Amino acid sequence: MTARVLWRKSLSAVMLSLTGVCAFVAVSVLFLILGYLVIHGGRSVNWDFFTKLPAPVGELGGGMANAILGSAKLLALASLIGVPLGLLGGVYLAEFGGHAAGFVVRYAADLLNGTPSIVIGIFAYALLVLPFKHFSTFSGAFALGIMMIPITLRSTEEFLRAVPLALREGALALGASKWRAILTVVLPAAYRGILTAVLLALARVAGETAPLLFTAFSNRFWSPGWNQPTASLPVMIYTYAVSPYDDWHRQAWAAGLLLLGLVLVINLLARVVLSRGAAVRRS
Amino acid sequence: MPSTANSSVSLAAGLPASPGRELAGEHSMRMNISKLNFYYGEKQVLFDISLGVAAARLTALIGPSGCGKSTLLRTLNRMHETVRNARLDGEITLDGQSIFLQDVTQFRRRIGMVFQKPNPFPKSIFDNVAYGPRINGASRPLSDVVEASLRRAALWDEVKDQLHKSAYELSGGQQQRLCIARALAVEPEVLLLDEPCSALDPISTAKVEELLVQLKSSCTIVIVTHNMQQAARVSDFTAFLLNGSLIEFSPTPQLFTTPADSRTEAYITGRFG
């Protein structure tokens, strides 16, 4: 073996191991976080954690039932705001959007997607908190809903575009109007993809803290209705983690574990939905 | 019917050579195309096409790839309007009435279309066939319409026990017959087929061809094919297109045995295309 070949082979080996190590590090970060959460928070994940209100300052125990319910309410309302807007906007882009209008909407959606979440929080604060002079579940859900719009919109567009033209023509040739063809043929053909996108958008905003800090704020008690400040998991984690109490630190870890678990479950669900065989056979 | 007489006149006037004139005299015309020019943007793809579609007969459009035969077919149910920057001038009539003056969705219900690749909807077999009657408001019970359409498409015996299975579980040939059944379910007056067998195996092709021959007694059919044998087997009239122009339009036996134009002869004897 000549020196040149030897040099090439060793360089290849070095590079291969380097990329392999980097890939390993990238993956192991997730497992490190997961392991850390389990070690520190696992002990505090118990029945009380899911069912009890936070204990008064200085007392041990208590739970985060109000934050769990608060997060659920926030996510549900955020979906009600973000999903219809994103979905119908995506339908417009994929089916109707002309060249110029399509470009503007698409570009704006991408910019909105890249907008720092704290900025969206300020926006919601100025629009829905200041005029009413109090924090509310609604304002928090509004901020999260805005964040869901661009993700839902762009994915809906992508999945609708992937529906073969032949299906649209088939429906039109039978005398369907355009909106009818979209509603009865194109959307059903793309629903798995769109559902996946909605789930991923949910997973994305489930962990958002910044937009909630000055919209939904937080609450040590149950939050009745939609007009009161509410506790949420991400904000609870923030509050508890910077507190001086060991018990609160443990509970913050537990809440982190719950949140990460939730996001993982949503992601897995999205994968299952998508892999259940593509609804439309591509050829 | 006076409209038929009108159609015949314009047909005879628009046809290039003599053979077409005989057609006009013998058969009543269901559709009539006169002086049709078609453009995609600046590019003209059809030049001054005039052609009559005989009622209850099978008309085949043949020609090499890119000759405009599919484009011509798609103007017959105004499907070209879904393409941005497509435009045409000239006139197409159905039973003597201009198709461009009618409401497009109402009009398309009278013209069935079957596409090159089977395109069943991601729904059950039943729902595929029932789609048209559902959106158009069925007068008969849906199950009757579905059964009758599947029988007409010679698919009923193969699928009658699995109507609620996904249409994607059928073979390619079955899917194409399902698409034909779906088109027949709205009882179209004219059935357009755009190379319906190009994605099918020979056995499925034979079944579809047999079906077409049976159907033409009750339905006017226009088929685009680049399979000349297929045109010869199933059609009554054949139009040969080349580079967007109608070269020859004759009764099928005549076009394939004694073509009037040297280009037709060159094409059917396989010298090009």
Side-chain angles (χ1 to χ4, degrees):
Chain A
M1 205 186 288
T2 66
R4 195 168 173 78
V5 172
L6 200 64
W7 163 244
R8 279 182 184 173
K9 289 213 164 187
S10 43
L11 187 66
S12 167
V14 168
M15 284 305 175
L16 183 64
S17 359
L18 198 64
T19 51
V21 167
C22 288
F24 178 76
V25 169
V27 173
S28 52
V29 169
L30 175 67
F31 288 97
L32 267 176
I33 294 175
L34 202 58
Y36 226 74
L37 286 174
V38 172
I39 291 167
H40 290 272
R43 271 174 300 155
S44 299
V45 178
N46 50 32
W47 189 242
D48 278 359
F49 179 81
F50 289 103
T51 56
K52 289 228 164 107
L53 283 176
V57 177
E59 274 183 40
L60 291 181
M64 289 201 181
N66 60 341
I68 295 168
L69 184 72
S71 268
K73 278 167 73 181
L74 283 167
L75 289 179
L77 191 56
S79 309
L80 277 181
I81 297 168
V83 172
L85 281 170
L87 188 74
L88 294 178
V91 169
Y92 173 79
L93 273 191
E95 305 289 334
F96 298 99
H99 221 68
F103 175 79
V104 170
V105 175
R106 210 169 286 129
Y107 202 74
D110 288 348
L111 282 179
L112 185 59
N113 198 18
T115 305
S117 55
I118 191 122
V119 175
I120 292 175
I122 299 175
F123 175 65
Y125 176 74
L127 207 66
L128 289 174
V129 176
L130 281 181
F132 300 104
K133 302 200 165 43
H134 62 85
F135 301 110
S136 65
T137 307
F138 182 74
S139 61
F142 176 74
L144 295 184
I146 289 181
M147 298 191 65
M148 287 181 76
I149 293 173
I151 313 174
T152 318
L153 185 135
R154 288 308 303 273
S155 330
T156 301
E157 186 200 354
E158 293 300 319
F159 283 107
L160 288 183
R161 279 186 194 284
V163 174
L165 188 66
L167 285 187
R168 293 178 176 83
E169 292 189 330
L172 292 180
L174 288 167
S177 54
K178 190 161 182 184
W179 71 266
R180 197 135 196 183
I182 292 169
L183 197 66
T184 56
V185 172
V186 182
L187 278 174
Y191 87 93
R192 283 171 207 279
I194 295 172
L195 188 60
T196 311
V198 169
L199 285 173
L200 292 179
L202 259 184
R204 157 86 199 279
V205 299
E208 280 296 337
T209 322
L212 295 179
L213 283 174
F214 37 82
T215 51
F217 196 58
S218 194
N219 199 332
R220 303 287 295 165
F221 306 99
W222 297 107
S223 166
W226 304 94
N227 208 14
Q228 305 293 322
T230 181
S232 59
L233 284 172
V235 177
M236 279 304 243
I237 295 172
Y238 170 73
T239 321
Y240 273 37
V242 298
S243 76
Y245 313 112
D246 282 342
D247 191 45
W248 282 24
H249 293 168
R250 273 196 300 278
Q251 292 208 17
W253 284 112
L257 182 62
L258 179 63
L259 197 54
L260 185 65
L262 186 78
V263 171
L264 282 179
V265 167
I266 295 178
N267 269 289
L268 282 175
L269 206 65
R271 284 197 82 93
V272 171
V273 169
L274 200 61
S275 67
R276 276 264 199 79
V280 177
R281 200 182 296 170
R282 312 263 159 74
S283 47
Chain B
M1 254 169 75
S3 57
T4 313
N6 287 341
S7 311
S8 308
V9 170
S10 57
L11 172 89
L15 275 175
S18 56
R21 217 154 287 173
E22 294 161 29
L23 299 181
E26 286 165 19
H27 298 281
S28 65
M29 293 294 148
R30 198 71 210 247
M31 296 191 86
N32 204 55
I33 306 163
S34 61
K35 301 201 183 315
L36 183 76
N37 288 293
F38 191 94
Y39 310 83
Y40 286 121
E42 291 304 301
K43 189 173 186 285
Q44 185 168 3
V45 290
L46 291 178
F47 299 84
D48 198 35
I49 305 261
S50 294
L51 183 69
V53 177
R57 291 288 182 278
L58 204 156
T59 304
L61 308 177
I62 63 167
S65 299
C67 71
K69 55 193 189 298
S70 287
T71 303
L72 178 60
L73 188 80
R74 291 166 65 91
T75 61
L76 293 181
N77 68 344
R78 293 175 62 185
M79 201 52 101
H80 67 278
E81 290 172 11
T82 61
V83 182
R84 225 166 267 177
N85 78 30
R87 68 194 167 85
L88 56 77
D89 55 62
E91 183 60 285
I92 301 176
T93 57
L94 173 63
D95 294 338
Q97 290 177 318
S98 169
I99 66 169
F100 300 109
L101 300 178
Q102 306 177 29
D103 175 70
V104 67
T105 55
Q106 293 290 339
F107 165 69
R108 285 197 186 125
R109 288 168 198 184
R110 302 169 62 191
I111 312 279
M113 188 165 202
V114 176
F115 296 82
Q116 193 166 352
K117 274 192 214 146
N119 61 346
F121 300 140
K123 300 173 186 293
S124 71
I125 294 168
F126 184 94
D127 287 341
N128 261 280
V129 183
Y131 185 85
R134 272 194 182 127
I135 61 170
N136 297 330
S139 49
R140 289 188 292 156
L142 274 180
S143 54
D144 291 0
V145 179
V146 169
E147 179 176 342
S149 308
L150 285 169
R151 280 191 192 282
R152 276 180 87 189
L155 190 61
W156 174 252
D157 290 332
E158 292 162 61
V159 301
K160 62 184 173 195
D161 299 323
Q162 39 177 348
L163 290 176
H164 293 281
K165 269 194 185 173
S166 164
Y168 290 133
E169 288 178 34
L170 298 175
S171 72
Q174 288 174 323
Q175 285 186 12
Q176 193 62 303
R177 276 180 287 148
L178 178 68
C179 291
I180 295 175
R182 186 175 68 185
L184 291 175
V186 291
E187 292 177 9
E189 297 158 39
V190 179
L191 185 62
L192 310 175
L193 301 106
D194 190 358
E195 305 198 23
C197 300
S198 65
L200 304 187
D201 60 273
I203 293 170
S204 305
T205 301
K207 280 188 178 165
V208 170
E209 286 182 6
E210 194 184 331
L211 175 63
L212 293 179
V213 172
Q214 286 167 10
L215 281 176
K216 73 181 180 188
S217 58
S218 58
C219 193
T220 301
I221 301 178
V222 183
I223 182 173
V224 162
T225 176
H226 57 209
N227 179 337
M228 278 176 284
Q229 286 77 18
Q230 183 171 61
R233 280 192 299 264
V234 301
S235 72
D236 300 296
F237 302 107
T238 301
F240 172 58
L241 280 87
L242 185 63
N243 299 330
S245 298
L246 180 64
I247 303 299
E248 186 164 353
F249 181 42
S250 314
T252 300
Q254 186 179 329
L255 185 128
F256 281 99
T257 50
T258 51
D261 194 288
S262 59
R263 288 165 295 181
T264 313
E265 188 184 358
Y267 181 68
I268 61 174
T269 52
R271 256 182 276 156
F272 72 96

